[in-house]
Amino acid sequence: MKNVYLINFGSAVTVLPASAAEKIVGGQATLTDVRALTALLSLPDGNEKTAGAVSALTGLSEDVCESSLAFWRGAGVISIADTVANDAPQQPSFEPAADETEAKPAKAVKAAKAAETAKSAEIEKKDKKLLSNDLPKYSGIQISELLEKDGGKLRNMIDVCQQFIGHILNPNEINTMVGLCDWLGLDAEFVITLCAYYTGKKPGCNVRYIERAAVDLVNSGIETPAQLESYLKDMELYDGLAGKLRSWLGIGTRAYTKKENGMIKRWVKDFGYGEDVVRLAYEITVDAKGSFNFDYAGKILENWFAAGVKTVEDAQARVNEFKSNKKSSNEQSSSFDIDELFDLAIQRSYKKMGDKK
């Protein structure tokens, strides 16, 4: 007979957003992510809901809490509250004072309405996801004016990008490249860097591909040359690690699943781990499980990150700590706590590694 379970709510309830439950059930959220979100949800309304408050409640470091809360922001589960400093200048009011006998000039009222309309349009543009076909079509005269603007900055950009792409751009392609700067607001340096990266990475890369990449980046909040440089650095690390994992796992050209891709990106971007640290986690996983398991390796890396491990030397120090503090078999608990089970498995793996030396 199958057990049917009831939930005992008791005297209090913590509400979990459905989108968060989907991430947890689907396996995209780690144990640390779940702890951070649960702590955030359980903070009383009078308390400031910050990473510091979550850190104090969970015992996790504030950096770890920030990383997990960033994951939930990216999933759309939480957002950052808008705050206004107490000493911030107040917006001018166009309402007449109590003792005023004359109305404000009609021009001032119209200016206020125009400013409010422009502000609303700007907010709507930022909130709306852009599409490649949102880029406008310029006339020949408009293109000429834009190319000569600011000392010919865009013309120079076109000349450089043509060299990377390998052919003279046609009018439609020039229209697209100009639109990336004029409509999307990207700096010419941003477009040149993007063009250099993708043409070097993907032979035969065309303007259409660069356009889609630029739109995707803007939709992700990457809009400055500095942000692009950081993103491309993460991509290089991801590509290198993803390639190494293919070699270690012998999976050939099989595409990674969405979950696997997300885990690798998190190891690189959020944890800051390179090939050496992941390689150690890989070896521990294979020794303990007999083959590589993404979830198992991910748990090891998550635990290391939560413990402040940044380099392979830090990870090796954790190895030595586990080895020196390992428990005898008769002291092992029968608890099914997942953290303890992972720790014990890792200890056994380290012992094997030590025996081989």
Side-chain angles (χ1 to χ4, degrees), residues 213-231:
V215 170
D216 288 342
L217 289 170
V218 170
N219 284 333
S220 300
I222 300 171
E223 303 178 49
T224 67
Q227 290 173 328
L228 178 62
E229 182 180 355
S230 177
Y231 169 80

Side-chain angles (χ1 to χ4, degrees), residues 1-6:
M1 179 179 177
K2 294 182 178 179
N3 293 326
V4 178
Y5 297 96
L6 301 175

Side-chain angles (χ1 to χ4, degrees), residues 88-152:
Q90 299 297 311
Q91 292 295 326
S93 172
F94 291 94
E95 294 294 330
D99 59 346
E100 261 187 330
T101 56
E102 293 183 1
K104 290 287 183 182
K107 182 181 291 187
V109 175
K110 287 182 179 179
K113 289 182 178 179
E116 185 63 30
T117 300
K119 183 178 179 181
S120 298
E122 183 65 23
I123 293 173
E124 182 179 356
K125 181 179 177 182
K126 287 184 178 180
D127 290 341
K128 179 183 176 183
K129 289 292 185 182
L130 297 169
L131 300 173
S132 293
N133 56 14
D134 286 336
L135 269 66
K137 299 297 182 184
Y138 300 95
S139 68
I141 294 176
Q142 289 174 317
I143 289 289
S144 296
E145 291 175 347
L146 289 169
L147 290 178
E148 299 307 324
K149 188 178 178 181
D150 297 330

